[in-house]
């Protein structure tokens, strides 16, 4: 089977001081909106040999990176400046319990003052790579 090289990249950058449960939760939330905002990133539904069907998933890998607070802040600034599709998760969202409160918590803080714990970015592979420079692959 030939390897597919995508022109675009889906990447998540997490702050490196989060406990494991928060890293997993933040990652799930950050990528959740991408399929509706960029429908072309979602593949076809899956089906097993017994014809049981399953939900579609992204058609390409999601790469997960980590970095310190300043790496995250820099990547966020670059992603916004470069017009990449960007999702944010701030520390305030750990204390909210629904979408309305989440959006209100983000809206209450200016861009430069967001206490980011994670971002997801989508766009041309080379632009995403430059945006995440300084981050390392999640271990």
């Amino acid at each position: 089977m030939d390897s597919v090289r995508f022109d675009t990249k889906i990447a998540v950058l997490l702050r490196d001081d989060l406990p494991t449960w928060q890293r997993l939760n933040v990652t799930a939330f950050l990528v959740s909106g991408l399929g509706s905002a960029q429908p072309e990133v979602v593949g076809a539904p899956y089906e097993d040999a017994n014809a049981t069907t399953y939900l579609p998933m992204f058609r390409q890998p999601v790469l997960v990176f980590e970095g310190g607070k300043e790496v995250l802040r820099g990547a966020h600034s670059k992603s916004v400046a470069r017009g990449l599709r960007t999702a944010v998760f701030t520390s305030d969202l750990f204390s909210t319990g629904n979408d309305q409160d989440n959006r209100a918590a983000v809206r209450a803080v200016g861009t430069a003052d967001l206490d980011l714990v994670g971002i997801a970015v989508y766009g041309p592979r080379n632009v995403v790579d430059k945006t995440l420079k300084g981050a390392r692959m999640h271990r």
Side-chain angles (χ1 to χ4, degrees):
M1 181 175 227
D2 292 331
S3 177
V4 176
R5 184 170 167 104
F6 294 96
D7 294 336
T8 57
K9 184 176 269 189
I10 301 170
V12 173
L13 174 57
L14 302 170
R15 204 168 72 197
D16 59 8
D17 62 349
L18 297 178
T20 301
W21 76 268
Q22 286 181 338
R23 289 174 189 238
L24 295 169
N25 185 267
V26 170
T27 300
F29 269 94
L30 286 171
V31 299
S32 67
L34 187 55
S36 62
Q38 301 291 142
E40 71 274 10
V41 302
V42 177
Y46 285 74
E47 184 176 298
D48 65 24
N50 293 53
T52 303
T53 59
Y54 304 96
L55 292 172
M57 295 186 284
F58 292 130
R59 65 181 178 90
Q60 66 189 88
V62 176
L63 300 173
V64 181
F65 297 84
E66 64 182 353
K69 197 172 194 169
E70 292 309 312
V71 170
L72 192 57
R73 183 177 304 283
H76 175 255
S77 295
K78 291 175 196 170
S79 71
V80 171
R82 293 175 174 158
L84 293 175
R85 297 304 303 249
T86 304
V88 297
F89 197 105
T90 67
S91 63
D92 295 330
L93 303 188
F94 290 126
S95 62
T96 59
N98 62 72
D99 186 54
Q100 183 176 346
D101 291 342
N102 287 352
R103 284 184 281 109
V106 172
R107 181 178 292 283
V109 181
T111 305
D113 297 320
L114 292 171
D115 185 15
L116 298 166
V117 298
I119 63 170
V121 295
Y122 171 75
R125 184 179 60 244
N126 62 334
V127 178
V128 171
D129 288 342
K130 290 176 186 174
T131 299
L132 298 181
K133 190 172 179 143
R136 61 190 176 277
M137 287 295 290
H138 188 275
R139 335 175 220 123

